[in-house]
Amino acid sequence: MAFSSPISPSYSSHLSSKHVKANRTKFSTINNINSFSLIQRSPFLNSQWERGKSSKFSINAAVTSKEYLLDGALENTQLPKGVCWSVHKFGGTCVGTPERIGNVAEIITADQSERKLVVVSAMSKVTDMMYDLIYKAQSRDDSYITALDAVREKHKLAAVDLLDGDDLASFLSKLQDDVNNLKSMLRAIYIAGHATESFSDFVVGHGELWSAHLLSSAVRKNGVECKWMDTREVLVVNPTSSNQVDPDYLMSEERLEKWYSKNPSKTIIATGFIATTPQNIPTTLKRDGSDFSAAIMGALLKAHQVTIWTDVDGVYSADPRKVSEAVILKTLSYQEAWEMSYFGANVLHPRTIVPVMQYDIPIVIKNIFNLSAPGTMICRSSGNEYQDGQKLESLVKGFATIDNVALVNVEGTGMAGVPGTASAIFSAVKDVGANVIMISQASSEHSVCFAVPEKEVKAVADVLESRFGQALSAGRLSQIAVIPNCSILAAVGQRMASTPGVSATLFTALAKANINIRAIAQGCTEYNITVVVKREDCVRALRAVHSKFYLSRTIIAVGIVGPGLIGGTLLDQLKDQTAVLKEKFNIDLRVMGITGTRTMLLSESGIDLSRWRQLLSVKGEMADMNKFVHHVRGNHFIPNTVMVDCTADSDVASHYFGWLHRGIHVVTPNKKANSGPLDQYLKLRALQRQSYTHYFYEATVGAGLPIISTLRGLLETGDKILRIEGIFSGTLSYIFNNFTGSRAFSQVVKEAKEAGYTEPDPRDDLSGTDVARKVIILARESGLELELSDIPVQSLVPEPLRSSASPEEFMQQLPQFDQQLAVQRQEAENTGEVLRYVGVVDVVSGKGTVELQKYSKEHPFAQLSGSDNIIAFTTERYAKQPLIVRGPGAGAEVTAGGVFSDILRLASYLGAPS
């Protein structure tokens, strides 16, 4: 006895009256938009059938909307499309209880999008319960009746908790009608002992109908007008032979527009998972169907975003059950998500990504139980390695594994150069319905190796031995070998394609973990590298490669000297970056000590930077530089040590040579060492060049600006420096940018002091000594052997005020000397020029100067604003138009940022990816 499902618009059986007398039983699914009316002429109680006189009959089934298949005038409401729509999908866990349905309703209500379409799954476990009903009915297990009652009771209790009044009464009435209809259908399945796919899909789809009805009522209870959609009226799909379906976008779009014209709403609650065929037979979207529904709806509406709500914070870099250090990925490209999902990662089914890709609609994975978590965005890769100023994520975005696979190796000298061998192999595999997970073949064509699920390997081996029996007997094939108990490990990342050495890093990590690789596969796109390992080694292999790419491998012990304004700002920046340093730079910076002039704080494992000020105050001990350096350097588990001098102290700078000699790296913004006595500078640089220790001082000249590195880049590439000219003082830049019109010089200085641009004593800035130190550093970097005393400096501090007792006295008397600079300003203005305080390194003449100069208003130096610095490099290559570096050149934040950059550059040299 068999059920079949040819198409019939009335969903009725066409049974000959001479075989049966049909009793009609009405099946209907009820919703508050468009009802499906399923009329079943049932032969099940016919006495002739019961006596076995009719051994064969068929039920012809189709579901027809009572409205959308009828011709008629449509309302004038047009379906708007585009970024005004946001699509949400809530899975079964999200709507698993009445409380959770209420939470979902609140999320929908809080969404500020202009229009919202919400796709909802059945309540948690309900889909399984519905499939179980079918299984029990076709197994002729009477318990299907009580199981159906349990389904009804689950939804009844949810409705009682969520709804009241007419909404509750309406839902319970429709629920009971549906259950009565399902009982009749399950009875039919029980008698027949078989359920067609369309019958099963129709039964199972009720879970989504009920949850959508409940959620829409809960949303309306929150005061938001909404409609709910039975997506079988809209989504049209064509079943394929591979237990999947292909959406018919054109027909679905037409039906969506027609549905909306009758049900206009800014909030729509739609059923997930279920759809219909072009012949209006109910069906489902198969595995991960609700995600697929949301993606299709997003594409039909051309929405600005599809959000998939689940019970995890996002997509992990690896299975967190196997790798406790797995991290949430901020972004994935469509291709990366595709690859990871194929290899078993809990992301999305690959087909879910297809509908949204063509419209570049991002998919966001979010946790309904942790709304503050940003989640993971799946979108098209921009191709730009730096997005929104953020640093790079790991080269390998994620790792996924497939367990319980077996390798099949077909090998023989007769395969080489013989066309069609691979085709014959995989044609045979296809004949037994096996799924080939990966393929690996050497260029010699001596062997073909591929992986299949272990449960399918026997059938594969048998069919290959049968198909190639003659070749085996003749010796053209030497063997068909099966290697069981294997696992597949895949590394996925779009940036792997453009980054040399990723494969080497992966294989090195596996080799160091003593993991033997049985097979390797990699496409030319390099989106994934796939290896096969023993099943028993799989977790160890996963941890090894994840650690190599995501965990810290460059550990540096850090000692901070001078926790003042710059040092304190640096410590705060380190604190803020601790969580991302490992992820983006593969660096573990351990601040083992902080010392000032009076107090120091030491730690054996690393100072908690979130409260370093409190610890330094409470647990600090008397400062001792020798003890401090010994402690920071003395941890034998950390091979690299760096001292970061954030002072302006020449005594601290005098330690650099000894530190470098002991193998301690030095990073500093302190200008005293490089602008001090020439012989000490030359000795320091010679030691640095001879040893493997590093000395970085980018922040000594331009704070966070790349002045030193630009100069070195020019010299190292063979260019010849002719002249370096610049405004090196942020304070003096601000003063002369604002010394315009009739403003007095003393007034502008006062304003700069009050704004915090000057030192506590403005004479430290106006004297020009700081600019002179920067000039001497650049002169020495350019190859000039000059002393600081060789640089003539034009001081802006009037001679009578240089001995003023205090900054306050200086500021009180400064207006008396405004006239001299006012005259110079007027002279410059008369010729269309401006005054600027500059430092100059004239490499050709071997001299340096610091002075007040005039520049035309078209000159780059005249175009500055605020406290920006600007430096112009005139070289043989840049002779006609100098190379200019411009930007903020002063301030604690940018100076500390420059020091931080040097620390990261050091880490790059020590082995961290740069």
Side-chain angles (χ1 to χ4, degrees):
M1 188 177 297
F3 280 62
S4 63
S5 314
I7 299 155
S8 170
S10 64
Y11 191 51
S12 59
S13 60
H14 298 274
L15 303 175
S16 171
S17 60
K18 77 176 186 178
H19 292 300
V20 293
K21 295 179 180 178
N23 294 318
R24 299 186 179 183
T25 305
K26 184 176 181 180
F27 294 77
S28 65
T29 64
I30 304 172
N31 59 45
N32 51 359
I33 303 175
N34 289 327
S35 299
F36 280 104
S37 180
L38 307 181
I39 309 301
Q40 175 65 49
R41 293 174 181 168
S42 173
F44 303 139
L45 302 180
N46 183 272
S47 59
Q48 288 184 325
W49 181 83
E50 288 178 340
R51 290 195 298 270
K53 292 185 179 180
S54 177
S55 60
K56 183 177 180 181
F57 66 95
S58 67
I59 293 180
N60 303 333
V63 179
T64 306
S65 167
K66 69 183 182 183
E67 291 185 294
Y68 66 63
L69 291 181
L70 300 177
D71 292 331
L74 293 179
E75 297 177 19
N76 292 327
T77 305
Q78 255 192 338
L79 172 65
K81 296 180 182 178
V83 295
C84 60
W85 286 99
S86 66
V87 175
H88 297 264
K89 178 266 176 177
F90 294 92
T93 305
C94 299
V95 291
T97 65
E99 180 185 3
R100 291 179 183 177
I101 294 175
N103 292 340
V104 169
E106 290 178 4
I107 291 173
I108 297 169
T109 304
D111 182 4
Q112 298 300 310
S113 301
E114 182 182 346
R115 297 177 182 273
K116 296 162 278 192
L117 185 140
V118 179
V119 175
V120 62
S121 299
M123 292 179 71
S124 180
K125 308 299 182 184
V126 167
T127 300
D128 290 340
M129 294 170 75
M130 301 302 282
Y131 274 120
D132 187 55
L133 290 176
I134 299 167
Y135 174 78
K136 287 179 176 179
Q138 67 184 3
S139 301
R140 296 195 170 102
D141 181 346
D142 291 328
S143 66
Y144 78 86
I145 299 174
T146 56
L148 180 57
D149 289 338
V151 173
R152 180 194 60 191
E153 192 66 17
K154 181 181 180 75
H155 290 85
K156 177 182 177 181
L157 292 175
V160 170
D161 276 358
L162 280 170
L163 311 178
D164 49 37
D166 292 342
D167 283 342
L168 175 60
S170 173
F171 178 82
L172 293 179
S173 173
K174 292 175 181 178
L175 174 66
Q176 188 58 53
D177 286 345
D178 288 346
V179 169
N180 290 338
N181 292 335
L182 286 172
K183 279 185 179 178
S184 299
M185 182 168 282
L186 290 168
R187 177 63 180 169
I189 294 171
Y190 178 92
I191 294 172
H194 175 75
T196 64
E197 183 177 357
S198 59
F199 270 37
S200 298
D201 289 345
F202 176 73
V203 171
V204 171
H206 279 75
E208 277 69 21
L209 294 170
W210 294 327
S211 64
H213 193 168
L214 280 171
L215 180 57
S216 65
S217 298
V219 171
R220 280 195 299 273
K221 190 176 178 181
N222 284 352
V224 176
E225 185 276 330
C226 75
K227 301 287 179 66
W228 77 277
M229 173 195 292
D230 182 341
T231 48
R232 292 179 300 188
E233 299 181 45
V234 173
L235 293 188
V236 181
V237 297
N238 292 294
T240 69
S241 58
S242 56
N243 195 32
Q244 292 188 9
V245 294
D246 292 331
D248 186 327
Y249 290 101
L250 185 60
M251 187 175 292
S252 297
E253 186 174 27
E254 291 174 356
R255 293 192 177 187
L256 176 61
E257 290 173 352
K258 190 169 289 189
W259 183 94
Y260 186 86
S261 72
K262 298 184 175 99
N263 304 275
S265 179
K266 290 188 175 182
T267 302
I268 299 171
I269 311 299
T271 56
F273 184 58
I274 58 177
T276 189
T277 68
Q279 297 78 28
N280 304 313
I281 298 175
T283 187
T284 66
L285 301 185
K286 316 307 176 189
R287 180 188 169 198
D288 296 321
S290 292
D291 289 352
F292 199 18
S293 298
I296 296 170
M297 283 297 187
L300 292 175
L301 295 170
K302 297 180 177 60
H304 79 91
Q305 181 173 294
V306 175
T307 304
I308 306 292
W309 293 88
T310 181
D311 56 358
V312 294
D313 285 344
V315 181
Y316 282 89
S317 56
D319 187 340
R321 295 168 298 183
K322 297 177 180 177
V323 181
S324 60
E325 300 87 1
V327 299
I328 297 291
L329 300 173
K330 294 179 182 177
T331 61
L332 281 173
S333 70
Y334 293 124
Q335 291 81 3
E336 288 167 339
W338 207 329
E339 295 280 356
M340 289 184 68
S341 60
Y342 175 80
F343 285 99
N346 186 22
V347 186
L348 295 168
H349 193 279
R351 65 182 178 159
T352 303
I353 300 166
V354 175
V356 298
M357 279 183 66
Q358 60 182 321
Y359 298 111
D360 287 343
I361 301 170
I363 300 176
V364 178
I365 312 295
K366 294 211 66 172
N367 189 352
I368 193 170
F369 305 116
N370 183 12
L371 299 181
S372 63
T376 299
M377 176 174 284
I378 299 170
C379 56
R380 188 174 301 279
S381 172
S382 69
N384 186 356
E385 293 189 343
Y386 290 87
Q387 298 179 10
D388 300 327
Q390 295 180 352
K391 298 183 180 71
L392 295 170
E393 287 189 322
S394 174
L395 294 173
V396 179
K397 278 293 186 73
F399 300 90
T401 58
I402 302 176
D403 294 323
N404 303 317
V405 300
L407 278 179
V408 179
N409 187 44
V410 182
E411 183 179 318
T413 55
M415 294 174 58
V418 180
T421 303
S423 173
I425 291 171
F426 294 114
S427 176
V429 174
K430 177 180 179 294
D431 289 345
V432 295
N435 177 34
V436 177
I437 302 171
M438 65 157 280
I439 303 169
S440 178
Q441 181 178 12
S443 59
S444 67
E445 301 183 25
H446 177 69
S447 68
V448 175
C449 175
F450 57 93
V452 296
E454 204 157 41
K455 62 183 180 182
E456 299 173 357
V457 71
K458 186 179 185 306
V460 170
D462 289 345
V463 73
L464 289 176
E465 288 176 357
S466 173
R467 187 73 57 90
F468 295 98
Q470 184 177 352
L472 287 166
S473 300
R476 295 196 303 276
L477 291 184
S478 58
Q479 66 170 345
I480 297 174
V482 173
I483 305 172
N485 303 318
C486 293
S487 291
I488 288 177
L489 168 64
V492 175
Q494 191 162 338
R495 284 188 54 240
M496 298 190 319
S498 58
T499 308
V502 176
S503 297
T505 303
L506 180 76
F507 298 139
T508 298
L510 293 173
K512 288 184 177 180
N514 199 31
I515 306 292
N516 184 39
I517 300 173
R518 307 303 300 262
I520 303 168
Q522 180 178 12
C524 62
T525 61
E526 295 187 52
Y527 286 164
N528 86 66
I529 303 171
T530 306
V531 298
V532 179
V533 298
K534 291 181 182 178
R535 184 192 304 161
E536 63 196 56
D537 292 337
C538 182
V539 174
R540 191 155 52 95
L542 180 61
R543 289 175 176 170
V545 295
H546 189 276
S547 174
K548 192 68 172 177
F549 285 94
Y550 271 93
L551 297 186
S552 171
R553 82 176 170 200
T554 303
I555 305 175
I556 304 176
V558 181
I560 303 292
V561 183
L565 184 58
I566 294 174
T569 304
L570 173 63
L571 285 165
D572 291 338
Q573 290 179 355
L574 288 169
K575 175 201 69 176
D576 294 339
Q577 288 297 102
T578 297
V580 297
L581 282 174
K582 294 179 184 179
E583 176 187 350
K584 297 187 177 182
F585 294 101
N586 216 20
I587 299 167
D588 185 0
L589 295 178
R590 308 271 181 90
V591 178
M592 309 301 289
I594 301 171
T595 184
T597 56
R598 298 183 179 86
T599 309
M600 67 181 182
L601 175 66
L602 306 178
S603 172
E604 294 294 333
S605 57
I607 295 169
D608 180 359
L609 297 183
S610 65
R611 53 195 193 101
W612 67 267
R613 289 179 177 86
Q614 176 188 353
L615 293 172
L616 182 62
S617 174
V618 175
K619 297 187 177 182
E621 55 187 277
M622 184 178 295
D624 182 327
M625 185 60 75
N626 290 331
K627 181 180 179 181
F628 177 80
V629 174
H630 178 76
H631 172 83
V632 176
R633 179 75 173 86
N635 192 318
H636 299 293
F637 296 100
I638 304 178
N640 304 301
T641 303
V642 60
M643 289 294 169
V644 182
D645 174 20
C646 296
T647 72
D649 192 329
S650 57
D651 182 60
V652 176
S654 68
H655 289 280
Y656 293 177
F657 184 86
W659 291 345
L660 291 170
H661 187 72
R662 294 171 58 184
I664 300 172
H665 309 286
V666 177
V667 172
T668 185
N670 187 346
K671 293 179 276 291
K672 297 298 174 63
N674 285 10
S675 62
L678 179 62
D679 60 337
Q680 293 185 19
Y681 167 79
L682 295 174
K683 184 180 176 184
L684 185 65
R685 292 303 306 275
L687 175 62
Q688 181 204 0
R689 294 187 183 100
Q690 294 167 5
S691 67
Y692 289 97
T693 48
H694 298 280
Y695 174 39
F696 294 135
Y697 44 88
E698 182 72 74
T700 57
V701 175
L705 296 179
I707 306 302
I708 299 293
S709 56
T710 299
L711 176 55
R712 283 189 174 179
L714 293 169
L715 292 170
E716 289 169 0
T717 56
D719 203 355
K720 184 177 180 181
I721 307 298
L722 303 178
R723 180 183 178 90
I724 303 172
E725 184 176 10
I727 298 173
F728 294 100
S729 168
T731 302
L732 294 174
S733 175
Y734 177 86
I735 289 172
F736 282 98
N737 287 336
N738 289 276
F739 183 45
T740 58
S742 61
R743 302 189 69 189
F745 183 73
S746 61
Q747 180 187 355
V748 177
V749 173
K750 180 182 178 183
E751 179 184 293
K753 186 176 187 300
E754 290 173 349
Y757 285 113
T758 72
E759 294 292 338
D761 188 339
R763 287 174 294 182
D764 293 340
D765 298 295
L766 299 176
S767 68
T769 303
D770 185 68
V771 175
R773 289 190 179 278
K774 295 178 180 180
V775 167
I776 200 70
I777 291 172
L778 291 176
R780 290 174 176 179
E781 290 289 316
S782 302
L784 301 182
E785 296 187 355
L786 299 177
E787 293 282 6
L788 186 60
S789 57
D790 296 330
I791 306 295
V793 179
Q794 179 182 350
S795 175
L796 298 178
V797 181
E799 181 71 32
L801 301 185
R802 293 176 187 176
S803 58
S804 295
S806 68
E808 290 74 23
E809 182 182 331
F810 166 76
M811 291 300 299
Q812 288 174 1
Q813 297 180 8
L814 184 60
Q816 301 173 22
F817 300 88
D818 283 339
Q819 185 60 32
Q820 181 181 353
L821 281 171
V823 170
Q824 293 185 54
R825 178 183 63 191
Q826 188 60 50
E827 291 175 353
E829 289 180 354
N830 291 340
T831 58
E833 294 175 312
V834 296
L835 296 177
R836 293 294 182 260
Y837 194 80
V838 298
V840 178
V841 178
D842 189 337
V843 179
V844 176
S845 64
K847 296 178 180 180
T849 58
V850 176
E851 59 188 354
L852 190 64
Q853 289 191 9
K854 293 183 287 186
Y855 293 90
S856 70
K857 292 184 179 180
E858 290 74 30
H859 193 279
F861 287 12
Q863 307 299 318
L864 286 185
S865 61
S867 60
D868 280 3
N869 285 6
I870 187 168
I871 296 89
F873 294 92
T874 303
T875 71
E876 288 186 344
R877 292 178 190 160
Y878 296 94
K880 294 182 179 180
Q881 185 172 349
L883 173 64
I884 291 178
V885 179
R886 171 182 172 176
E893 288 288 339
V894 293
T895 304
V899 175
F900 198 170
S901 179
D902 272 350
I903 295 172
L904 296 179
R905 188 152 62 105
L906 170 65
S908 169
Y909 286 147
L910 295 177
S914 58

